[in-house]
Amino acid sequence: MPSVLPLGDPAPSDGLLPAQAAEGAAARAFGLYVHIPFCAVRCGYCDFNTYTATELGGGASQDAYAGTAVSEVGLAAEVLQRSGVPARKLSTVFFGGGTPTLLPADDLAMILRSAIDQWGMEEGAEVTTEANPDSVTPESLAILKEAGFTRVSFGMQSAVPHVLKVLDRTHTPSRVPQVVRWAREAGLAVSLDLIYGTPGESLADWRYSLETALSYEPDHISAYALIVEEGTKLAAQMRRGEVPGIDDDDHADKYELADQLITEAGLGWYEVSNWARTPDQACRHNLAYWRGDDWWGIGPGAHSHVGGVRWWNVKHPVAYANRLAQGYSPAAGRETLDSDTRRLERVMLEARLQSGLDVSTLSTLGRHEVAALIADELVEPAAAFHGRLVLTLKGRLLADAVVRRILPD
């Protein structure tokens, strides 16, 4: 979740949503995102809305955070009801950050219980927490499983010490197989997050990280190209010439290697940066984002979306806590998406999925571009001929280029 909030219209202090939010809601899945904004160390590449203990003032302690988040859960249920949005059980819950597991497992369990008390949970619902490898124990993972968590996503990033050092990661490579074992013993599904394209990372380094991650037999792997955002420590280091810049060709080579090795290991690609051992082990929460379902975002800077209405909370944990303590919505701004914007977002997101984009969504000019993409062997002809567009070379750079071509209008 980027730290810079978008521009938008003012959000009402009571949080009530416009009528559009309720239209067709009963047919859409409903999920919950819970942002835990705390980190032990700020990674040099990170632009997310996170804070170390030394960056926070009074009124935003980690000890009090779970209670504050529970307050927003209650507000969310009230706002949805008063806005006429039909009640739906949660299909997914995702705790992200920051490092959610810096909070005691009992605190995460308390937040989850409050959400279940408000909305209930669909049978077989997915409940994920992100975690750093050095922020969990066998005991904490067991508590999470008992509370209803089904899945943990570990930020492995690399198996190479010098790469982890550039990224300011605090764990050692030997910690990862240990926490994977603990999670499996607790009964949790395991996802591993990797980053490629770190300055100084060779292709051999990246191969080693991939092969090491795959040797742990995870249920899911995410492999993300490093993006260096302005304002981060890593961006400043690049500007000063202390580390080399990003090389798009290097990213492409590493993406193709990832796709090859992960697929050969038996995990299936389903989104630009994601592979799952079975279709059921794809991250359903993220799929809900990409398919335009509804979710409420809990926490400072968290974003929400219900029926084409999108809003975002105030950034700082102190301001967030103060708004809730005063009985006000923590929303800082919002936008109501018109049909053209929703169509644009649908194209941008669905073109990146293995399930593809319905070509009929495109304009006439866009459909002509699909024919050109088939000629250039950038999309699968069989899929396109059956009315759907699916990328064959699935890297982020290619995905961006394809979307630009099919949205000429």
Side-chain angles (χ1 to χ4, degrees):
M1 183 172 52
S3 62
V4 177
L5 295 179
L7 299 175
D9 299 323
S13 60
D14 59 10
L16 291 182
L17 304 176
Q20 176 179 316
E23 294 173 4
R28 297 190 300 268
F30 177 58
L32 191 72
Y33 171 75
V34 182
H35 186 62
I36 309 297
F38 308 114
C39 284
V41 174
R42 177 180 287 278
C43 297
Y45 62 92
C46 182
D47 185 45
F48 283 12
N49 188 39
T50 61
Y51 304 83
T52 63
T54 58
E55 294 173 319
L56 289 172
S61 72
Q62 293 184 27
D63 291 343
Y65 185 76
T68 305
V70 166
S71 296
E72 191 183 358
V73 169
L75 174 77
E78 178 185 347
V79 166
L80 290 171
Q81 182 182 37
R82 292 180 60 202
S83 299
V85 180
R88 292 162 290 172
K89 292 184 177 180
L90 293 165
S91 60
T92 63
V93 181
F94 194 102
F95 285 67
T99 307
T101 44
L102 275 185
L103 291 188
D106 286 332
D107 282 5
L108 300 181
M110 180 173 75
I111 298 170
L112 179 59
R113 280 196 302 272
S114 72
I116 295 172
D117 288 345
Q118 290 291 351
W119 293 292
M121 293 277 281
E122 291 184 358
E123 185 176 354
E126 174 191 272
V127 183
T128 302
T129 186
E130 294 180 332
N132 284 350
D134 54 3
S135 66
V136 298
T137 65
E139 294 76 19
S140 68
L141 291 167
I143 290 170
L144 294 177
K145 173 62 177 178
E146 178 65 24
F149 285 79
T150 64
R151 188 174 179 273
V152 60
S153 180
F154 289 115
M156 175 179 171
Q157 316 311 7
S158 175
V160 180
H162 77 82
V163 175
L164 291 173
K165 183 177 180 180
V166 172
L167 294 173
D168 292 322
R169 302 298 290 182
T170 57
H171 70 274
T172 59
S174 62
R175 179 75 170 182
V176 178
Q178 186 178 43
V179 298
V180 169
R181 185 180 75 252
W182 292 344
R184 292 204 183 285
E185 289 172 350
L188 295 164
V190 173
S191 178
L192 297 177
D193 283 1
L194 299 174
I195 290 178
Y196 59 89
T198 300
E201 178 191 60
S202 67
L203 192 62
D205 289 336
W206 176 233
R207 177 183 286 274
Y208 178 72
S209 291
L210 286 165
E211 291 175 344
T212 301
L214 290 167
S215 74
Y216 306 146
E217 300 184 342
D219 304 298
H220 184 280
I221 284 184
S222 298
Y224 299 111
L226 179 66
I227 299 174
V228 180
E229 303 287 356
E230 282 301 317
T232 61
K233 173 185 172 183
L234 192 54
Q237 290 174 316
M238 287 184 178
R239 197 163 47 247
R240 294 192 297 264
E242 297 171 3
V243 297
I246 297 298
D247 183 330
D248 288 346
D249 289 337
D250 176 66
H251 274 190
D253 290 343
K254 287 173 178 172
Y255 181 88
E256 290 185 352
L257 181 61
D259 193 37
Q260 174 193 335
L261 295 183
I262 298 172
T263 300
E264 287 175 354
L267 285 79
W269 171 80
Y270 69 95
E271 191 272 341
V272 167
S273 301
N274 291 276
W275 294 257
R277 194 161 296 281
T278 69
D280 287 343
Q281 289 167 318
C283 181
R284 283 181 273 151
H285 187 82
N286 285 343
L287 282 169
Y289 291 157
W290 298 321
R291 291 171 176 165
D293 286 333
D294 292 348
W295 73 90
W296 190 292
I298 300 291
H303 288 230
S304 304
H305 172 267
V306 178
V309 182
R310 180 181 294 129
W311 67 96
W312 44 91
N313 286 346
V314 293
K315 276 182 53 178
H316 200 278
V318 173
Y320 171 75
N322 288 343
R323 292 284 290 269
L324 286 165
Q326 295 168 25
Y328 298 134
S329 164
R334 76 180 185 195
E335 58 182 340
T336 301
L337 307 179
D338 60 27
S339 58
D340 287 343
T341 303
R342 296 178 78 174
R343 173 176 162 272
L344 170 65
E345 293 191 356
R346 179 181 174 189
V347 171
M348 292 177 65
L349 295 171
E350 292 187 12
R352 299 162 186 265
L353 295 173
Q354 187 275 336
S355 54
L357 168 73
D358 189 335
V359 177
S360 66
T361 304
L362 302 174
S363 67
T364 301
L365 194 54
R367 291 194 291 273
H368 284 310
E369 282 295 332
V370 170
L373 288 164
I374 292 170
D376 291 342
E377 298 183 350
L378 297 180
V379 301
E380 295 179 3
F385 288 155
H386 286 89
R388 302 193 75 79
L389 167 65
V390 181
L391 304 182
T392 48
L393 298 176
K394 300 175 285 283
R396 178 183 59 83
L397 297 173
L398 177 63
D400 291 346
V402 167
V403 168
R404 284 195 296 271
R405 283 180 62 175
I406 63 179
L407 285 172
D409 55 344

